[in-house]
Amino acid sequence: VVSTQSTGSSGINAEYGCSSGRPSERNIYADIEAAWNALRTRYGISSDKIVLYGQSIGTVPTIDLASRYEVRAVILHSPLSSGLRVACPDTKKTWCFDVFPSIEKISSVQAPTLIIHGTEDEVIDFSAGLQLYERCPKPVDPLWVEGAGHNDIELYAVYLDRLKSFLEKDLATK
């Protein structure tokens, strides 16, 4: 499982947030590309064995990578559909100035995809998870955590139950 909580600082760094690079959209994509290349070349891991897991801003590079490469599966935890839609959840169109246009990339993700979102998310509106789910070509049953916010989904027992079910059951039949 590749988990992304990207700093967007163009440098995988074990001490989150301590990279000397500058945060940018391009660097967020460079971070996950570096991790991908290390897994594939340094460690020799086959793409069909890699499960991508992105949380919050980390869903942006996760969706981007999964839209360009074959992977075993994708897990999107509290995903955003685009930068503009975080600020203005009712936005229906992707504008040229909209950063992180995951909503436009999700249709190219060809791996089974689990979307997890809290219904009371105070950072990324719950509608973002729904929008991505509706456009996802290979969704599995999502996990909408009733009453959960942006940073407490892991505290609900259903979270680990659903992850386990996805990895052990949903992927076993795919």
Side-chain angles (χ1 to χ4, degrees), residues 115-147:
I115 299 177
I116 302 167
H117 212 118
T119 59
E120 301 300 320
D121 192 321
E122 66 286 357
V123 177
I124 300 172
D125 195 79
F126 174 65
S127 64
L130 289 170
Q131 291 167 359
L132 290 168
Y133 178 77
E134 290 167 358
R135 291 195 183 188
C136 187
K138 294 190 177 179
V140 298
D141 290 340
L143 175 59
W144 309 134
V145 184
E146 198 66 41

Side-chain angles (χ1 to χ4, degrees), residues 2-148:
V2 175
S3 177
T4 57
Q5 274 276 10
S6 180
T7 63
S9 300
S10 193
I12 306 288
N13 191 315
E15 297 178 46
Y16 180 81
C18 294
S19 174
S20 60
R22 301 203 52 180
S24 72
E25 184 175 11
R26 184 174 66 173
N27 287 345
I28 284 175
Y29 300 135
D31 283 350
I32 198 169
E33 191 77 32
W36 174 260
N37 288 331
L39 288 172
R40 301 282 291 124
T41 58
R42 182 186 298 171
Y43 300 107
I45 299 174
S46 166
S47 64
D48 65 338
K49 303 278 189 236
I50 297 174
V51 175
L52 300 177
Y53 184 109
Q55 181 175 353
S56 190
I57 191 71
T59 63
V60 171
T62 299
I63 292 170
D64 179 72
L65 189 79
S67 74
R68 296 182 293 112
Y69 297 106
E70 178 185 326
V71 297
R72 178 72 182 108
V74 177
I75 302 168
L76 303 173
H77 175 156
S78 303
L80 58 140
S81 49
S82 79
L84 183 60
R85 287 174 177 87
V86 171
C88 306
D90 294 330
T91 301
K92 302 294 183 220
K93 180 179 177 182
T94 302
W95 298 91
C96 63
F97 54 84
D98 194 352
V99 295
F100 312 131
S102 294
I103 192 78
E104 300 302 325
K105 296 178 182 181
I106 192 74
S107 61
S108 296
V109 174
Q110 294 304 310
T113 303
L114 170 62
I115 299 177
I116 302 167
H117 212 118
T119 59
E120 301 300 320
D121 192 321
E122 66 286 357
V123 177
I124 300 172
D125 195 79
F126 174 65
S127 64
L130 289 170
Q131 291 167 359
L132 290 168
Y133 178 77
E134 290 167 358
R135 291 195 183 188
C136 187
K138 294 190 177 179
V140 298
D141 290 340
L143 175 59
W144 309 134
V145 184
E146 198 66 41

